[in-house]
Amino acid sequence: MFCYQCQEAAKGTGCTVNGVCGKKSDVANLQDLLVHSAKGVAVYSGELRKVGYSNKAVNKYLLESLFITITNANFDADAIVKSIKEGVELRDELKKVAAEKGITSKFADHDVATWIPGDRNELETKSETVGVLRTENEDVRSLRELITYGLKGLAAYGHHAMNLEKENPEIYSFVEKALVATLDDTLSADDLVALTLETGKFGVDVMALLDAANTEAYGHPEITEVNIGVGTNPGILISGHDLKDIEELLEQTDGTGVDVYTHSEMLPAHYYPAFKKYKHFVGNYGSSWWNQNPEFESFNGPVLFTTNCIVPPKSGNTYADKVYTTGAAGFPGFKHIADRPEGGKKDFSAVIEHAKKCAAPTEIESGTIVGGFAHNQVIQLADKVVDAVKTGAIKKFFVMAGCDGRMKDRNYYTEFAEKLPQDTVILTAGCAKYRYNKLALGDIGGIPRVLDAGQCNDSYSLAVIALKLKEVFELNDINELPIAYNIAWYEQKAVIVLLALLYLGVKNIHLGPTLPAFLSPNVAKVLVENFGIAGIGTVDEDMKIFLS
Ligand code: SF4
Ligand code: SF3
C-alpha cells in the first residue's frame, strides 16, 4: 500500500504498512482500485453526458465510490469489493450505450476501461498496481492526487446534497472530466494546476448546492445553545455529516422513549429550525471524532455513523457491537443500515430497538455550547458586526475552520485561541472547533468570540460572510478585509474547502498542523508563490505574524 491522502500520513510522507488511521493495506489498495473503477465509469459517462445522456445510477456511483475512499469513512473490504464490481458493470453498460451511439473515448484502450475483475485474490493483486505510485513524475503525481483528493471531498458534499434531491449536472460532468484528466499523460503540470483551481470552483458550487439543500429542507441555522449534558432515557448517538439521516432518525425515534444525541460533526444539526421541534433531540455528547473510543463507551447506547470519521474500536472496548453505519460509511463487524429505497426512507428500527435495551448515557460534562452562526444568521447581525469593526471593538477575524485530529501538536489551536487578543473573533466550521469551543472566550458587545457556522461544508458560509463584508466595506479585494486564515486540515473534505478558498481568491492561508505530504516541493512552491500558503510555527511566532 501507499497512501498519503491525509494529515496523519506516516512520518509525514505516507503510510506503507498499515494506515495510521487504522486502514489495513488490503483495504487501502482496494480503495485505490475503487477510484480506478470510478475512472472507468467516467471515461464513458463523460462522453455520453456530452450528447445529453445521463443516468442516475452513474451520478450516484461517481459520488459514492469516491466518498467511500475518504479517510476514516469505510474500512470494510467486502463493501469496497462490491462497489468495485458495481463500477465495472456500470462501465460496461455505458460502453454498450456508447457503442450503440457510435461514441468512443480517447481512453477506450486504457486499463480503467478494459480490465475485468477476477476473484478476490486476483482483485487484491490487481489493486496493488493502480495506486498513487503508478505516476512516476512526482509533480504530476502530486497534482493528480491533489485533484483526486479535492474530488473526494467534493463527492462527499455532493452526496449529501443528492440525498436531499439537490443536484447540479455540471458538477457530475466536472467530476468525470477531472477523473479522466488524471489518466491523461499529455497534460502538462500547468494544465493540471489550472484543473486544480477549477476543482476549487466546483468546490464552491457543491458547497453552495449543499447549503441550499440543507437550508431549503431544514431552515437557516440560527443562534442555538446546545446542551452538552444528558437526560435519563436511553439514547442513540449519531455522528458524521448527513442531515437527511438525522432527519429520518429523529422522525423514527419520536415517541419511542429513545433520545437522540449528536457527536462530533453532527453537532450543527441542532442549529436547524426543523429539528428543534423534537423534544427527544437532547444535545451533543462528547467532542471530536478522535475521542470516540472512551466517549462511545460511556454513552452506553448505540452509535450511528452516517459518514466519516470512524476510529477502529480499541481492544477491550465493549461498544463495538452497538455501532451501526449507513451510506458511504462501513467497518467490518459494524451493522450496516441499507440505503433508502427510491422515494422511501431508511429503516432505523434495529438501532432504535437496540437503544431500548441500553442504559441512559453516563454524564461526562454539563452546560451548553453556542453555535448557529451560518451566513444568514451573521448577515442578520451585520449592522452590529460592522459597527464593532468600525469602532475598533473588533480588530480582526480569524478563520480557524477545518478538521480536528488526534495528534498532540493540535494543542496549538487551543493555545492559539486562548492567546488571541480580546478584540478578535474566531470564525469556525468543521470539527476543528472542538479545540476551543468549550473555552470561556467571552463576547464583544454581545457577539461571541467564537462564531460556529456549522460543519466543514459550512465553510461556505464563512466565504459568504467574507464576501458580504467586502461589499459592506466597499473593498476591491477579499484580502483587504481584517480576516486571517489559520486553518487545520485532516482529510479530503478540507482539501476541497482549501481549493474553494483559493478559487475565491483568498491569499495567505496558514495550513496546519503540517502541510500535506502529497504536495511535492515544486507544487508546494506554486501554492506559496501564487497564494501565499504557509504552514504554522509556534503560537507566539504566528501570533506576531497574524497581528502585524
Ligand atoms: Fe495513512 Fe491517512 Fe492514508 Fe490512513 S488515510 S492510510 S492515515 S495517509
Ligand atoms: Fe472532521 Fe473527520 Fe474533517 Fe467535517 S469529522 S471535518 S476530520
Side-chain angles (χ1 to χ4, degrees):
M1 72 174 278
F2 181 82
C3 181
Y4 64 174
Q5 67 174 354
C6 85
Q7 189 272 325
E8 281 189 340
K11 298 187 187 132
T13 53
C15 298
T16 54
V17 184
N18 282 318
V20 174
C21 58
K23 189 162 73 176
K24 302 276 182 247
S25 65
D26 62 332
V27 171
N29 290 336
L30 287 167
Q31 289 188 354
D32 290 340
L33 190 55
L34 182 51
V35 174
H36 196 69
S37 294
K39 290 179 186 175
V41 170
V43 159
Y44 289 103
S45 61
E47 293 300 326
L48 283 166
R49 206 180 295 273
K50 287 180 198 159
V51 296
Y53 177 92
S54 77
N55 176 328
K56 249 187 152 176
V58 168
N59 301 341
K60 187 164 184 240
Y61 186 79
L62 287 171
L63 300 183
E64 208 159 87
S65 57
L66 292 171
F67 192 178
I68 284 174
T69 68
I70 271 190
T71 301
N72 289 343
N74 201 314
F75 297 74
D76 185 349
D78 291 343
I80 297 166
V81 165
K82 189 168 164 258
S83 190
I84 291 167
K85 290 185 175 168
E86 274 169 20
V88 175
E89 276 168 30
L90 211 47
R91 176 201 73 191
D92 290 344
E93 277 170 38
L94 292 167
K95 200 189 276 190
K96 233 187 253 166
V97 178
E100 282 160 15
K101 292 181 182 290
I103 291 169
T104 185
S105 158
K106 179 176 162 192
F107 295 96
D109 294 328
H110 194 285
D111 186 61
V112 296
T114 57
W115 79 285
I116 310 285
D119 65 16
R120 179 67 171 264
N121 282 340
E122 283 175 79
L123 272 185
E124 288 193 10
T125 310
K126 169 88 185 164
S127 72
E128 289 165 17
T129 65
V130 297
V132 171
L133 300 177
R134 74 194 180 281
T135 306
E136 279 173 22
N137 179 298
E138 71 164 349
D139 297 326
V140 175
R141 184 195 306 148
S142 174
L143 288 163
R144 284 180 174 176
E145 295 307 316
L146 174 56
I147 292 163
T148 305
Y149 304 152
L151 291 178
K152 290 184 181 196
L154 184 155
Y157 295 152
H159 195 266
H160 297 311
M162 176 186 260
N163 288 341
L164 290 166
E165 289 166 22
K166 272 269 177 203
E167 299 186 67
N168 173 354
E170 286 177 17
I171 291 175
Y172 303 136
S173 182
F174 176 73
V175 170
E176 286 154 348
K177 171 178 135 175
L179 281 175
V180 173
T182 66
L183 305 169
D184 195 340
D185 294 328
T186 66
L187 295 182
S188 66
D190 284 348
D191 294 332
L192 292 172
V193 169
L195 189 63
T196 305
L197 277 191
E198 202 182 348
T199 310
K201 182 231 177 268
F202 282 94
V204 175
D205 290 355
V206 80
M207 283 192 272
L209 185 75
L210 180 54
D211 183 78
N214 288 338
T215 55
E216 284 170 27
Y218 309 121
H220 282 283
E222 50 194 26
I223 303 175
T224 306
E225 273 194 37
V226 181
N227 170 32
I228 56 173
V230 298
T232 52
N233 293 330
I236 295 171
L237 189 56
I238 177 168
S239 190
H241 304 69
D242 196 284
L243 296 186
K244 185 71 185 168
D245 286 337
I246 194 168
E247 177 196 343
E248 291 178 356
L249 181 70
L250 285 167
E251 269 170 20
Q252 292 173 33
T253 41
D254 199 12
T256 62
V258 171
D259 290 339
V260 174
Y261 294 80
T262 52
H263 189 258
S264 191
E265 273 285 71
M266 201 53 94
L267 157 68
H270 292 277
Y271 310 156
Y272 288 90
F275 301 140
K276 292 188 171 168
K277 63 175 182 259
Y278 293 109
K279 298 274 173 295
H280 68 294
F281 190 26
V282 172
N284 189 70
Y285 189 83
S287 54
S288 180
W289 65 271
W290 59 275
N291 272 326
Q292 66 189 247
N293 278 187
E295 291 172 358
F296 289 2
E297 197 71 10
S298 60
F299 183 72
N300 301 326
V303 177
L304 174 65
F305 271 108
T306 64
T307 71
N308 57 321
C309 275
I310 298 172
V311 177
K314 280 203 181 105
S315 67
N317 278 143
T318 60
Y319 69 79
D321 67 343
K322 288 188 245 169
V323 187
Y324 294 75
T325 57
T326 191
F331 192 88
F334 293 175
K335 294 166 213 70
H336 192 79
I337 304 293
D339 260 359
R340 52 187 67 78
E342 185 77 33
K345 297 186 176 195
K346 286 189 183 175
D347 177 4
F348 292 116
S349 56
V351 196
I352 298 167
E353 288 313 308
H354 199 153
K356 287 179 183 167
K357 295 182 206 127
C358 297
T362 305
E363 187 158 279
I364 51 175
E365 57 190 342
S366 59
T368 56
I369 44 180
V370 180
F373 296 92
H375 58 90
N376 187 69
Q377 178 67 85
V378 174
I379 287 166
Q380 280 180 30
L381 299 172
D383 289 348
K384 211 170 173 182
V385 173
V386 169
D387 277 353
V389 174
K390 284 189 178 156
T391 61
I394 296 178
K395 289 257 165 45
K396 202 157 195 165
F397 296 92
F398 283 80
V399 171
M400 291 178 69
C403 305
D404 195 8
R406 65 198 126 200
M407 285 182 166
K408 283 216 167 60
D409 52 6
R410 286 187 188 253
N411 289 337
Y412 165 96
Y413 295 102
T414 309
E415 197 190 329
F416 190 88
E418 282 170 331
K419 286 193 170 166
L420 275 173
Q422 288 300 315
D423 53 10
T424 58
V425 168
I426 296 172
L427 302 175
T428 192
C431 61
K433 66 169 89 41
Y434 284 101
R435 288 283 163 179
Y436 41 78
N437 69 343
K438 293 172 188 170
L439 301 176
L441 295 179
D443 64 276
I444 300 175
I447 303 166
R449 288 196 51 238
V450 178
L451 299 181
D452 176 23
Q455 298 180 333
C456 47
N457 42 291
D458 295 310
S459 301
Y460 169 75
S461 254
L462 304 182
V464 173
I465 293 165
L467 291 169
K468 182 75 194 170
L469 289 175
K470 175 181 157 235
E471 188 189 308
V472 173
F473 289 110
E474 296 176 354
L475 301 173
N476 294 320
D477 184 342
I478 200 168
N479 296 296
E480 291 170 26
L481 285 165
I483 303 182
Y485 293 80
N486 194 4
I487 288 178
W489 83 288
Y490 173 63
E491 36 76 43
Q492 299 74 48
K493 293 179 186 181
V495 176
I496 194 62
V497 170
L498 176 71
L499 295 181
L501 290 175
L502 297 185
Y503 171 75
L504 290 173
V506 175
K507 298 246 161 80
N508 304 321
I509 295 172
H510 289 239
L511 187 64
T514 53
L515 288 177
F518 55 80
L519 295 181
S520 68
N522 284 331
V523 172
K525 203 167 152 223
V526 170
L527 293 180
V528 171
E529 285 174 0
N530 293 310
F531 301 101
I533 293 255
I536 59 168
T538 67
V539 170
D540 292 334
E541 281 163 12
D542 289 354
M543 201 63 76
K544 270 189 216 142
I545 295 170
F546 280 120
L547 295 171
S548 64

